[in-house]
Amino acid sequence: MAARVASRAVRGRTGCLRGPVERVQWTTALRVLLLGCNVVLDWGLWSRPERDHYRTQARAMSASVVLCVLDSPIEELWQRLSRRNHAAQPGTFEITRAALERASRLFQRPEPDELALFDPL
């Protein structure tokens, strides 16, 4: 029980940092795009509004924008997380099956009309 309480506390502390960290990363990404280099955003982009936001900003800079979706079945994800949880080092937070299922319900899978807005790989 103590490990789970501690892991919630860690998520609470780190969750408040997500927005500021992503803003710094995106500001840096925009500067990199201005230099003509490639940028990879790998922080979720779980909702269409998020994907629309970053796609339109990158396009405004004349950048090509590719969306790569890794949408594994929930059973595969749970098998991977179970192995991760079992082998976790002290201080690593546990991801429960219930948390995985909640997260899975939040993910807005891109529909064909949205996918058509992106450039091919």
Side-chain angles (χ1 to χ4, degrees), residues 34-51:
L34 282 173
L35 295 171
C37 298
N38 293 332
V39 170
V40 175
L41 301 185
D42 185 17
W43 61 61
L45 303 175
W46 284 24
S47 71
R48 176 151 185 184
E50 286 178 293
R51 294 186 295 265

Side-chain angles (χ1 to χ4, degrees), residues 38-103:
N38 293 332
V39 170
V40 175
L41 301 185
D42 185 17
W43 61 61
L45 303 175
W46 284 24
S47 71
R48 176 151 185 184
E50 286 178 293
R51 294 186 295 265
D52 288 344
H53 170 77
Y54 291 108
R55 186 190 70 254
T56 56
Q57 284 194 25
R59 283 273 168 71
M61 299 180 71
S62 301
S64 297
V65 184
V66 175
L67 178 65
C68 300
V69 180
L70 305 176
D71 191 11
S72 299
I74 197 161
E75 287 306 320
E76 173 66 25
L77 295 174
W78 179 241
Q79 288 175 11
R80 293 176 188 179
L81 283 170
S82 294
R83 288 191 299 271
R84 173 198 176 271
N85 288 340
H86 181 73
Q89 298 295 314
T92 303
F93 63 89
E94 176 186 8
I95 300 175
T96 65
R97 175 71 187 229
L100 173 62
E101 290 174 0
R102 277 192 305 277

